Amino acid sequence: KSCNEEFHKDDELFRNIIISGCYRTENGRKAWDEQVVDSWKKNRGAKKSLRDLLIPIVIKDPTTGTIVQKYGIAIELELFERQVKRWARGLYYNRFKEPLSQESKIVVERLLPPEISINSMNNHFTKNGIKPKWIHVEKNVFSYFYAASIEDKNVGFIIFVLFNTEVYTASIN
């Protein structure tokens, strides 16, 4: 309970950032409207936390070629690392019914969108004798693939896909 309470604000901010970045998909837009915007009615602080991350950026409009000012989100990379590491530890526990050693190192990496990264990774695994078994917690919202070493269960690799947009890996060793 204390661990969950410690990360509660991280969880909500992370969710809001991820969903804002996944707006290109139908499920991402739906989550934005039904989860994020709706949650602001109950928690104005969550809206302020996300708004505080907005920074003005200048981009060239790809259609007109004109320079326009937009807003982007200044993302704290450590937030993403903390969250993905927590998921990796949670999945390890779920799979092996014991905590991952604190000495184990987890390296987090963000990959290109799934339409670019996942097919090539699946092909790579298949060529190396690993049949990717994807777990779809909620189809088109949250999926993952967990591969653990046969020789040492403390060595593994997890791929997380969120809203068919964001892809993160956690390498455990």
Side-chain angles (χ1 to χ4, degrees):
K1 184 176 178 179
S2 64
C3 179
N4 281 337
E5 287 177 4
E6 179 183 342
F7 293 103
H8 176 71
K9 288 186 179 181
D10 273 1
D11 292 342
E12 189 164 14
L13 181 58
F14 182 78
R15 178 198 71 172
N16 292 348
I17 291 171
I18 287 293
I19 291 173
S20 72
C22 297
Y23 201 78
R24 73 182 179 111
T25 67
E26 183 180 331
N27 285 335
R29 288 188 300 278
K30 184 179 178 186
W32 179 263
D33 293 338
E34 295 178 5
Q35 293 176 31
V36 177
V37 173
D38 203 43
S39 74
W40 291 344
K41 295 172 189 165
K42 298 174 197 148
N43 184 355
R44 296 258 179 233
K47 182 177 183 179
K48 182 182 179 333
S49 294
L50 191 59
R51 188 182 304 142
D52 288 348
L53 297 176
L54 292 177
I55 56 171
I57 56 174
V58 177
I59 61 168
K60 186 176 186 178
D61 184 283
T63 307
T64 64
T66 59
I67 304 297
V68 294
Q69 181 173 328
K70 299 272 185 176
Y71 286 88
I73 297 177
I75 297 172
E76 176 195 353
L77 294 178
E78 292 80 18
L79 171 66
F80 284 74
E81 284 199 5
R82 282 192 308 270
Q83 292 296 95
V84 174
K85 286 178 179 180
R86 283 180 55 221
W87 295 348
R89 288 186 177 283
L91 286 175
Y92 180 93
Y93 186 85
N94 182 278
R95 186 173 210 178
F96 298 110
K97 306 302 181 224
E98 64 184 54
L100 178 66
S101 166
Q102 290 300 320
E103 286 78 40
S104 291
K105 184 177 178 186
I106 303 173
V107 177
V108 174
E109 187 177 348
R110 180 178 183 223
L111 301 182
L112 294 171
E115 63 271 15
I116 299 168
S117 61
I118 296 300
N119 284 340
S120 63
M121 290 177 75
N122 281 339
N123 290 337
H124 174 76
F125 287 130
T126 302
K127 285 179 187 175
N128 289 289
I130 301 168
K131 184 177 181 199
K133 187 174 180 181
W134 285 90
I135 306 297
H136 302 287
V137 177
E138 188 174 342
K139 192 168 174 54
N140 298 318
V141 174
F142 181 68
S143 301
Y144 70 90
F145 164 61
Y146 191 132
S149 168
I150 295 168
E151 295 84 19
D152 182 355
K153 67 182 179 184
N154 293 308
V155 175
F157 187 77
I158 309 170
I159 306 168
F160 299 99
V161 181
L162 303 152
F163 293 97
N164 286 333
T165 300
E166 295 287 317
V167 181
Y168 295 90
T169 62
S171 301
I172 305 169
N173 52 37

